[in-house]
Amino acid sequence: QHKREGPMLRTIGLSCRSFSGKALSRKDLAMKMGNLKTWEITNDGKALRKHFEFKTFNHAWAFMSRTALLAEKMDHHPEWSNVYNMVEVSLTTHDSNGISEKDIKMAEAMDSFSLQS
């Protein structure tokens, strides 16, 4: 087991070794987007973007807290902003100048966390 793994990664079925930071090809990205129908790919094709809206600020904060803990474990941090009950998110892998498996896994986890908030 990787030293950075913990209960949160195992709970959502992730392992630190299970994904790459290499940019996905257009074909691979199209296949991976099947589970991420509410996410959009930016015009330049280098990031995933989504708007989350919650019942209250506390729900939005809980979502961000869960995501922040996972981001630290994955060493992969979203670009985001929060206004009251809304959270705007952009995911990209800067090292590869594009969308990687890390972004896909983070997006899937964020969708799961949004249902818990």
Side-chain angles (χ1 to χ4, degrees), residues 47-65:
L48 298 176
R49 189 178 309 158
K50 184 170 179 175
H51 170 86
F52 290 91
E53 192 165 333
F54 300 92
K55 286 165 90 176
T56 66
F57 173 77
N58 285 339
H59 289 97
W61 191 263
F63 163 78
M64 292 178 72
S65 294

Side-chain angles (χ1 to χ4, degrees), residues 64-108:
M64 292 178 72
S65 294
R66 286 182 188 98
T67 302
L69 292 171
L70 177 61
E72 283 295 297
K73 298 266 188 222
M74 289 176 64
D75 194 25
H76 189 64
H77 303 85
E79 296 174 15
W80 59 11
S81 65
N82 165 244
V83 176
Y84 186 61
N85 67 331
M86 296 175 288
V87 181
E88 294 285 339
V89 177
S90 179
L91 298 173
T92 189
T93 302
H94 296 284
D95 291 344
S96 64
N97 196 30
I99 300 168
S100 74
E101 186 74 19
K102 287 182 177 186
D103 301 304
I104 300 296
K105 295 300 183 186
M106 179 64 78
E108 290 171 346

